[in-house]
Amino acid sequence: MSGLRGEAAIVGIAELPAEKKQSGPAMFTLDQYARLARMVLDDAGLPASVVNGLVTHGVQESDMFAPATLSEYLGLPLDFGERVDLGGATSAGMVWRAAAAVELGICDAVLCVVPGSMILPRSSRAGAPATPPWYGASSGKYGSPQAEFEIPYGNVGQNAPYAQIAHRYAAEFGYDPRATAKIAVDQRTNAAAHPGAVFHGKPLTVEDVLASPVIADPIHMLEVVMRVQGGAAVLVANADLARRSRNRPVRITGFGEHVAFKTPTYAEDLVRTPIARAADRAFAMAGLERSDVDMASIYDCYTITVLMSLEDAGFCPKGAGMQWVTEHDLTFRGDLPVNTAGGQLSFGQAGMAGGMHHVVDAARQVMGRAEQAQVADCHTAFVTGNGGIMSEQVALLLQGE
Amino acid sequence: MTRSTSQPISQSTGKPAEPRPLPEPTPVSQPFWDALREHRIRIQWSPSGRQWVFYPRLLAPGTLADDLEWREISGRGTLHTFTVARRPTAPPWADAVPQLLAVVEWDEGPRVSTELVDVDPADLRVGMRVVPVFHDDPDGGLTLLHYRPEDEG
């Protein structure tokens, strides 16, 4: 089959500590891009002059021309400039596009940078925002199907749609609230071993999760991501630069992507998610089995997302996830370590950078740099990105040499 | 979405509440909303795709054929899924918790996002039969499509 040859590698990673309340001054996203780009190049031990590709999600200060705006600001001419719009799957989508550009010989090194702080400098002249912030990932514009057929019924945001997915799952397969709670607890254990996590030093029990308020039945507050300020980046480079970089190269050997709907109302099957197809392609491309995976970075906007992703990506039989997570240790010491820096539930979700957290955490493990949370003999990592409401999904396989 | 219901005062806060957004029909979707005002449900049928289509579109999904026909359906269906939102999904629903959000699967196949009414949340079950409730906007210009459980017997 066609696909990557595994020649491109993540050679540098950067992640700002998660902060509920930002400690530093407000920075434009342009400034955040620059700071994170500098951090990731320093981490790789490579000069900025090697960069000739850039993948972005967008620039808050400019509605259009994001790659050109960043190229100009950073002073880095590009042979490949791309904007990815896949919600929480954006970061994983950025990484395979960067790897493809490197393997095609278009680029030597591609910056994949995602600012995560929405505390931006404010204009004293600016009026109220044209779009209310509560639209979130929805569109309230005239002619948008969401504006016409979802939002008027209050179907907006993420909590209620994910809860509807969970309810459908419960109807088909049953539901064990202690099992989904355990996912949050195991990830909190990982956060306790990762100093950058927002919930570092704050242990959690299944009882705590079940005692937290129900946001949208059956989802409890402690099963929902924690919004933080931060940001994350990786540098994807060719084999020559990988040899010059100071880290163990983390080769990108497989990927898959699948997008088929925006709003779960119209999903072909609400509980069998697009990650199944994306994961099958990624494993086939890499020539790997599920049992080869040493750690998994599973997009975790909600605990039910982790559970269904583990099932649909093939780590356990469909419908058996509740029992499977109960019987398996998902901590960094466990038999399938998941989200070893805490994930977005317990590291924190720095906006769009929340998806890059999963890429960075996986690469950090394969590089052998996870310190107290290091998974022993970690050479193969599986990463998922999930955007919209389980509607845009990307799978990656990362391997050490 | 340019129109809003008049909703002057929040009962809980005593302050003006953010208005609920109302749909604004488009040239393509107008027949759907016109039918709802008459308390009828009309959606599209695609001969090329041999399927019912919702929401309204210009061309048939999948085939992109220019063959969509408006046909009336009963609106009866089953509860595909639901949630009881204890926290408002957005500020306009601050006084409307719990919100009973649902996806109904019409007997013809397509699914529709809706709100459930006239039901105790504890009685809700995935797969239960539901029937349409036509909710006329007080301003008279528009009708929203809600659902309630079908009467037994």
Side-chain angles (χ1 to χ4, degrees), chain A residues 100-137:
Chain A
V102 166
E103 289 209 352
L104 285 170
I106 299 169
C107 296
D108 303 308
V110 182
L111 279 172
C112 304
V113 178
V114 192
S117 171
M118 283 311 295
I119 311 294
L120 308 174
R122 295 225 299 252
S123 164
S124 57
R125 291 192 301 172
T131 306
W134 54 263
Y135 278 133

Side-chain angles (χ1 to χ4, degrees), chain A residues 364-390:
Chain A
R364 186 166 41 222
Q365 286 286 354
V366 174
M367 287 175 176
R369 298 164 60 189
E371 300 184 11
Q372 305 102 299
Q374 181 63 45
V375 172
D377 293 323
C378 188
H379 310 294
T380 300
F382 176 72
V383 181
T384 70
N386 163 51
I389 315 290
M390 302 288 256

Side-chain angles (χ1 to χ4, degrees), chain A residues 73-255:
Chain A
Y73 183 100
L74 300 172
L76 301 174
L78 305 176
D79 297 318
F80 173 63
E82 159 86 308
R83 178 178 188 160
V84 182
D85 177 16
L86 292 171
T90 294
S91 294
M94 289 164 78
V95 169
W96 79 251
R97 285 164 172 78
V102 166
E103 289 209 352
L104 285 170
I106 299 169
C107 296
D108 303 308
V110 182
L111 279 172
C112 304
V113 178
V114 192
S117 171
M118 283 311 295
I119 311 294
L120 308 174
R122 295 225 299 252
S123 164
S124 57
R125 291 192 301 172
T131 306
W134 54 263
Y135 278 133
S138 307
S139 168
K141 290 183 179 175
Y142 178 50
S144 142
Q146 289 182 309
E148 198 168 352
F149 299 105
E150 305 280 337
I151 296 172
Y153 299 101
N155 189 1
V156 62
Q158 287 80 34
N159 293 330
Y162 274 97
Q164 288 179 309
I165 291 174
H167 241 123
R168 181 71 199 182
Y169 183 97
E172 291 200 28
F173 303 113
Y175 199 87
D176 177 3
R178 298 188 68 85
T180 58
K182 178 179 178 287
I183 293 170
V185 171
D186 281 1
Q187 290 191 198
R188 183 63 66 87
T189 301
N190 292 337
H194 186 85
V198 71
F199 286 122
H200 181 66
K202 297 186 180 71
L204 186 69
T205 67
V206 166
E207 282 67 31
D208 292 334
V209 176
L210 298 181
S212 67
V214 174
I215 301 299
D217 177 22
I219 294 175
H220 297 85
M221 184 179 283
L222 290 174
E223 299 182 275
V224 183
V225 284
M226 173 51 65
R227 181 72 173 97
V228 297
Q229 313 302 317
V234 300
L235 184 68
V236 175
N238 65 20
D240 285 346
L241 290 172
R243 275 188 287 276
R244 284 167 52 191
S245 76
R246 69 167 61 132
N247 299 309
R248 182 194 195 196
V250 179
R251 295 183 304 128
I252 302 137
T253 57
F255 73 86

Side-chain angles (χ1 to χ4, degrees), chain B residues 3-6 20 22 134-144:
Chain B
R3 301 176 62 252
S4 297
T5 48
S6 50
R20 300 230 186 122
L22 277 179
F134 299 94
H135 184 98
D136 296 323
D137 171 52
D139 295 340
L142 200 80
T143 299
L144 289 179

